[in-house]
Short mmCIF file of all heavy atoms in Angstrom, two decimals:
data_model
loop_
_atom_site.label_atom_id
_atom_site.label_comp_id
_atom_site.label_asym_id
_atom_site.label_seq_id
_atom_site.Cartn_x
_atom_site.Cartn_y
_atom_site.Cartn_z
N LEU A 1 16.38 -38.02 -181.96
CA LEU A 1 16.94 -37.55 -183.23
C LEU A 1 15.90 -37.57 -184.34
O LEU A 1 15.75 -36.60 -185.10
CB LEU A 1 18.15 -38.41 -183.61
CG LEU A 1 19.41 -38.25 -182.76
CD1 LEU A 1 20.42 -39.35 -183.10
CD2 LEU A 1 20.03 -36.89 -182.99
N LEU A 2 15.17 -38.67 -184.45
CA LEU A 2 14.15 -38.78 -185.49
C LEU A 2 12.99 -37.81 -185.24
O LEU A 2 12.44 -37.23 -186.17
CB LEU A 2 13.63 -40.22 -185.57
CG LEU A 2 14.66 -41.28 -185.97
CD1 LEU A 2 13.98 -42.63 -186.13
CD2 LEU A 2 15.37 -40.89 -187.26
N LEU A 3 12.61 -37.65 -183.98
CA LEU A 3 11.56 -36.70 -183.65
C LEU A 3 11.98 -35.28 -184.01
O LEU A 3 11.17 -34.47 -184.49
CB LEU A 3 11.20 -36.79 -182.17
CG LEU A 3 10.06 -35.89 -181.68
CD1 LEU A 3 8.77 -36.16 -182.46
CD2 LEU A 3 9.83 -36.09 -180.19
N GLY A 4 13.26 -34.99 -183.80
CA GLY A 4 13.77 -33.68 -184.19
C GLY A 4 13.66 -33.46 -185.69
O GLY A 4 13.29 -32.36 -186.14
N LEU A 5 13.96 -34.49 -186.48
CA LEU A 5 13.82 -34.38 -187.93
C LEU A 5 12.36 -34.16 -188.32
O LEU A 5 12.05 -33.35 -189.22
CB LEU A 5 14.36 -35.64 -188.61
CG LEU A 5 15.87 -35.88 -188.50
CD1 LEU A 5 16.24 -37.21 -189.14
CD2 LEU A 5 16.65 -34.75 -189.16
N LEU A 6 11.45 -34.88 -187.66
CA LEU A 6 10.03 -34.70 -187.94
C LEU A 6 9.57 -33.29 -187.58
O LEU A 6 8.74 -32.70 -188.30
CB LEU A 6 9.21 -35.73 -187.16
CG LEU A 6 9.28 -37.17 -187.66
CD1 LEU A 6 8.75 -38.14 -186.61
CD2 LEU A 6 8.51 -37.32 -188.97
N LEU A 7 10.07 -32.75 -186.49
CA LEU A 7 9.72 -31.39 -186.10
C LEU A 7 10.19 -30.39 -187.14
O LEU A 7 9.50 -29.41 -187.43
CB LEU A 7 10.32 -31.07 -184.73
CG LEU A 7 9.61 -31.69 -183.53
CD1 LEU A 7 10.50 -31.68 -182.30
CD2 LEU A 7 8.31 -30.94 -183.24
N HIS A 8 11.37 -30.62 -187.73
CA HIS A 8 11.87 -29.73 -188.78
C HIS A 8 11.02 -29.84 -190.04
O HIS A 8 10.85 -28.85 -190.76
CB HIS A 8 13.33 -30.06 -189.09
CG HIS A 8 14.31 -29.36 -188.20
ND1 HIS A 8 14.48 -27.99 -188.21
CD2 HIS A 8 15.16 -29.84 -187.25
CE1 HIS A 8 15.40 -27.66 -187.31
NE2 HIS A 8 15.83 -28.76 -186.73
N ARG A 9 10.47 -31.00 -190.31
CA ARG A 9 9.61 -31.17 -191.48
C ARG A 9 8.24 -30.55 -191.27
O ARG A 9 7.56 -30.20 -192.23
CB ARG A 9 9.44 -32.67 -191.79
CG ARG A 9 10.66 -33.35 -192.37
CD ARG A 9 10.31 -34.78 -192.74
NE ARG A 9 11.43 -35.49 -193.34
CZ ARG A 9 11.34 -36.73 -193.84
NH1 ARG A 9 10.18 -37.37 -193.79
NH2 ARG A 9 12.41 -37.30 -194.37
N SER A 10 7.83 -30.46 -190.02
CA SER A 10 6.49 -29.96 -189.70
C SER A 10 6.50 -28.43 -189.66
O SER A 10 7.55 -27.79 -189.69
CB SER A 10 6.06 -30.51 -188.33
OG SER A 10 6.71 -29.81 -187.28
N PRO A 11 5.32 -27.82 -189.56
CA PRO A 11 5.24 -26.35 -189.45
C PRO A 11 5.57 -25.83 -188.06
O PRO A 11 5.58 -24.62 -187.85
CB PRO A 11 3.77 -26.05 -189.79
CG PRO A 11 3.20 -27.31 -190.32
CD PRO A 11 3.99 -28.41 -189.72
N LEU A 12 5.83 -26.70 -187.11
CA LEU A 12 6.16 -26.26 -185.76
C LEU A 12 7.52 -25.58 -185.76
O LEU A 12 8.32 -25.76 -186.68
CB LEU A 12 6.15 -27.44 -184.79
CG LEU A 12 4.79 -27.83 -184.19
CD1 LEU A 12 3.81 -28.25 -185.29
CD2 LEU A 12 4.94 -28.94 -183.16
N PRO A 13 7.82 -24.78 -184.72
CA PRO A 13 9.09 -24.04 -184.69
C PRO A 13 10.30 -24.95 -184.87
O PRO A 13 10.44 -25.97 -184.19
CB PRO A 13 9.08 -23.40 -183.29
CG PRO A 13 7.64 -23.24 -182.96
CD PRO A 13 6.97 -24.45 -183.56
N GLY A 14 11.18 -24.57 -185.79
CA GLY A 14 12.36 -25.38 -186.06
C GLY A 14 13.28 -25.50 -184.86
O GLY A 14 14.03 -26.48 -184.74
N LEU A 15 13.22 -24.50 -183.96
CA LEU A 15 14.07 -24.55 -182.76
C LEU A 15 13.76 -25.79 -181.93
O LEU A 15 14.67 -26.40 -181.35
CB LEU A 15 13.86 -23.29 -181.92
CG LEU A 15 14.64 -23.23 -180.60
CD1 LEU A 15 16.14 -23.28 -180.85
CD2 LEU A 15 14.26 -21.97 -179.81
N LEU A 16 12.48 -26.18 -181.88
CA LEU A 16 12.11 -27.38 -181.14
C LEU A 16 12.80 -28.61 -181.72
O LEU A 16 13.28 -29.48 -180.98
CB LEU A 16 10.59 -27.58 -181.16
CG LEU A 16 9.75 -26.56 -180.42
CD1 LEU A 16 8.26 -26.81 -180.67
CD2 LEU A 16 10.04 -26.60 -178.93
N GLY A 17 12.85 -28.68 -183.04
CA GLY A 17 13.52 -29.80 -183.69
C GLY A 17 15.01 -29.82 -183.39
O GLY A 17 15.57 -30.88 -183.10
N SER A 18 15.64 -28.66 -183.42
CA SER A 18 17.08 -28.58 -183.14
C SER A 18 17.37 -28.99 -181.70
O SER A 18 18.34 -29.70 -181.42
CB SER A 18 17.58 -27.16 -183.39
OG SER A 18 17.41 -26.80 -184.75
N LEU A 19 16.52 -28.57 -180.77
CA LEU A 19 16.73 -28.91 -179.36
C LEU A 19 16.53 -30.41 -179.12
O LEU A 19 17.25 -31.02 -178.32
CB LEU A 19 15.77 -28.11 -178.48
CG LEU A 19 16.06 -26.60 -178.39
CD1 LEU A 19 14.97 -25.90 -177.57
CD2 LEU A 19 17.43 -26.34 -177.78
N MET A 20 15.56 -31.02 -179.82
CA MET A 20 15.37 -32.46 -179.67
C MET A 20 16.53 -33.24 -180.27
O MET A 20 16.93 -34.28 -179.73
CB MET A 20 14.05 -32.89 -180.32
CG MET A 20 12.81 -32.52 -179.53
SD MET A 20 12.81 -33.14 -177.82
CE MET A 20 12.79 -34.91 -178.09
N ILE A 21 17.09 -32.74 -181.35
CA ILE A 21 18.27 -33.40 -181.93
C ILE A 21 19.44 -33.31 -180.96
O ILE A 21 20.18 -34.29 -180.76
CB ILE A 21 18.62 -32.76 -183.29
CG1 ILE A 21 17.56 -33.14 -184.34
CG2 ILE A 21 20.01 -33.19 -183.76
CD1 ILE A 21 17.72 -32.43 -185.67
N LEU A 22 19.62 -32.15 -180.33
CA LEU A 22 20.67 -32.02 -179.32
C LEU A 22 20.44 -32.97 -178.15
O LEU A 22 21.39 -33.57 -177.62
CB LEU A 22 20.72 -30.57 -178.81
CG LEU A 22 21.37 -29.54 -179.73
CD1 LEU A 22 21.25 -28.15 -179.11
CD2 LEU A 22 22.83 -29.88 -179.98
N ALA A 23 19.17 -33.12 -177.76
CA ALA A 23 18.85 -34.06 -176.68
C ALA A 23 19.23 -35.48 -177.09
O ALA A 23 19.80 -36.24 -176.30
CB ALA A 23 17.36 -33.99 -176.34
N GLY A 24 18.92 -35.84 -178.33
CA GLY A 24 19.27 -37.18 -178.83
C GLY A 24 20.77 -37.41 -178.81
O GLY A 24 21.25 -38.47 -178.41
#
C-alpha cells in the first residue's frame, strides 16, 4: 500500500501504483 502511494508520487506510471495498492 505504501509503495503504491510512493509510485503515485513519483513520475513512474500511476497504473503501477494503483496495481500495488490493489495487491496490498
